[in-house]
Amino acid sequence: MAKNHTRYIFSMGELKRKDNSIAFRNEKGNFYIPVQDTREVYCMNEVSFNTKFLDFISRAGITLHLFNYHGNYSGTFYPKEQLISGDLCIKQALCYIENRLKIAKSIVQAIADNIHETLYHYYRHDKKDLKPTLDWLKSEPKKFLDKDITIEQIMFIEGQIWNKFYDSFKHFLSEDFLMNKRVKRPPDNPMNALVSFGNTLLYTKTISAIYTTHLNQAISFLHSPREGRFSLCLDISEAFKPVIVFKTIFDLVGRKQLQVEKHFDKSLNYALLNEDGKKIFIDAFETRLNETFMHPKLKRKTTYKHCLKLEGYKLIKYIVEGKEFVPFRLKDKM
């Protein structure tokens, strides 16, 4: 049986093994999660467990993503790596040394392309004020990325692309959800809260996708590899942010399914989704992630979730065979 289900736990409680199932216990009683078709468990609140439970889910091949009471990502526990390749790890490290700039540039160009496609949807629906932004995205990033530049300059261009994107929100979002500027830790308004929450969910999905490949999670190209973090997921998820995270946000806000007064914590200046808000967002996020479309190269239907894994395989092809690495682009699937 395919392990394709993601389970979310929103309340405080205790996780433990019960026979061949995961048992979650809180003040309302016991709830059971079958392990056969479960791929990931998200704990969106404070949950306790012991090493016996961790050993059980490890042998069952289940990844556990942990968030604290305020919805901030704490970390991921995943089973002992079975897809380890010393040879690929060495080649991945050499690729970082020799070809980092090339890969980083391709990622940033994909960000610009996918933001352009995302905004073009609104331009076609009469938001003509977006034209200067669309024109800039079409020409300027490529112009800079074609030059002989440093990683710091590439990161600067990436920042400019995102800033142009954030500034465009005023043309198609309600005033309640304008960003002003990106603030991460902690978010300081509803839009920053949505972006931080959505990005974190995407990062964890990407960690799970990379786990199914032979890639080393710590060796990244656009983002600098650092101690204590899986930085490759930051690289691979970048091109998908406009397509998955922001498309989810724009749909929920545009349809008024998320409202500031109803779905954000008033005591924290509306800078944090409440439990109802998180459930609405996660439901829409999972729907978007599992949306099917005809893949132009595979010639069959696939999902955005599967494309996250394909990005890993494309990167391996580049590292091992030198085949050009072209990150996911929305326009390629249209």
Side-chain angles (χ1 to χ4, degrees):
M1 181 181 293
K3 284 183 169 291
N4 54 14
H5 280 83
T6 300
R7 317 287 182 176
Y8 288 90
I9 295 171
F10 290 93
S11 57
M12 298 174 67
E14 179 184 12
L15 281 168
K16 59 193 304 184
R17 176 182 182 175
K18 179 62 177 176
D19 299 324
N20 202 39
S21 295
I22 295 172
F24 175 67
R25 184 173 66 188
N26 62 12
E27 71 277 0
K28 295 180 180 178
N30 291 321
F31 303 87
Y32 297 95
I33 300 171
V35 300
Q36 292 86 349
D37 62 347
T38 298
R39 181 188 182 197
E40 301 170 291
V41 175
Y42 279 74
C43 297
M44 309 304 297
N45 209 322
E46 294 177 356
V47 173
S48 62
F49 46 81
N50 57 27
T51 54
K52 184 178 179 181
F53 170 75
L54 293 178
D55 180 64
F56 172 60
I57 63 169
S58 178
R59 285 186 282 110
I62 295 171
T63 301
L64 184 69
H65 301 293
L66 304 171
F67 292 71
N68 64 22
Y69 175 78
H70 293 292
N72 297 317
Y73 175 63
S74 298
T76 293
F77 170 85
Y78 63 65
K80 180 181 178 182
E81 290 191 89
Q82 298 176 0
L83 299 176
I84 296 175
S85 170
D87 181 58
L88 179 63
C89 187
I90 292 169
K91 288 178 180 176
Q92 188 177 342
L94 284 172
C95 189
Y96 169 83
I97 294 169
E98 297 172 357
N99 298 306
R100 180 187 183 186
L101 295 181
K102 187 173 182 180
I103 295 175
K105 285 180 177 183
S106 67
I107 293 170
V108 173
Q109 185 61 58
I111 296 169
D113 292 342
N114 288 339
I115 287 177
H116 182 279
E117 292 302 314
T118 302
L119 291 180
Y120 189 69
H121 165 80
Y122 295 96
Y123 176 77
R124 285 190 295 109
H125 288 80
D126 233 17
K127 303 299 181 184
K128 302 305 180 186
D129 288 339
L130 289 169
K131 190 173 189 310
T133 302
L134 290 170
D135 290 344
W136 187 91
L137 288 166
K138 197 76 173 176
S139 62
E140 295 306 306
K142 186 177 188 306
K143 189 185 300 181
F144 284 113
L145 293 169
D146 282 344
K147 296 178 181 178
D148 184 14
I149 54 178
T150 65
I151 191 66
E152 289 78 17
Q153 290 170 316
I154 295 171
M155 294 288 286
F156 174 78
I157 295 164
E158 183 205 11
Q160 293 293 100
I161 292 168
W162 286 113
N163 286 336
K164 290 280 186 182
F165 187 40
Y166 302 148
D167 190 54
S168 74
F169 294 176
K170 62 179 178 284
H171 298 305
F172 57 92
L173 290 181
S174 66
E175 192 173 340
D176 284 348
F177 286 94
L178 296 185
M179 181 179 282
N180 299 322
K181 66 176 181 177
R182 180 77 176 103
V183 179
K184 300 179 182 180
R185 300 183 184 88
D188 69 346
N189 61 43
M191 178 54 79
N192 274 305
L194 289 175
V195 175
S196 290
F197 190 62
N199 283 349
T200 301
L201 290 177
L202 182 59
Y203 294 152
T204 57
K205 293 291 181 183
T206 310
I207 287 171
S208 294
I210 295 170
Y211 173 71
T212 63
T213 74
H214 290 86
L215 289 165
N216 188 305
Q217 301 259 17
I219 303 174
S220 52
F221 300 90
L222 175 61
H223 298 84
S224 295
R226 294 179 186 170
E227 294 182 6
R229 77 173 186 180
F230 291 150
S231 51
L232 185 59
C233 77
L234 304 179
D235 280 7
I236 289 180
S237 62
E238 285 292 344
F240 290 90
K241 284 181 186 178
V243 183
I244 298 174
V245 175
F246 285 94
K247 186 66 167 64
T248 299
I249 293 171
F250 297 160
D251 286 351
L252 289 172
V253 171
R255 295 169 184 166
K256 300 188 186 305
Q257 290 173 269
L258 280 179
Q259 299 173 33
V260 173
E261 291 292 338
K262 288 177 63 176
H263 300 114
F264 292 80
D265 193 326
K266 185 177 181 180
S267 66
L268 294 171
N269 198 31
Y270 305 104
L272 183 70
L273 280 163
N274 60 26
E275 186 170 319
D276 286 342
K278 288 177 184 176
K279 288 178 179 178
I280 291 169
F281 188 95
I282 286 170
D283 183 60
F285 178 86
E286 286 285 342
T287 299
R288 180 68 174 166
L289 200 64
N290 290 287
E291 182 181 313
T292 59
F293 58 90
M294 184 62 69
H295 195 285
K297 291 186 178 179
L298 296 178
K299 306 299 182 185
R300 61 178 173 82
K301 287 189 174 181
T302 189
T303 64
Y304 291 111
K305 179 187 280 188
H306 185 61
C307 283
L308 288 172
K309 187 189 296 186
L310 292 180
E311 291 295 282
Y313 293 143
K314 286 193 291 184
L315 186 55
I316 290 172
K317 282 273 189 182
Y318 176 71
I319 293 168
V320 176
E321 301 175 12
K323 187 174 181 180
E324 185 182 8
F325 176 65
V326 180
F328 177 84
R329 292 186 299 185
L330 188 59
K331 62 183 178 183
D332 290 342
K333 86 173 188 65
M334 295 178 174

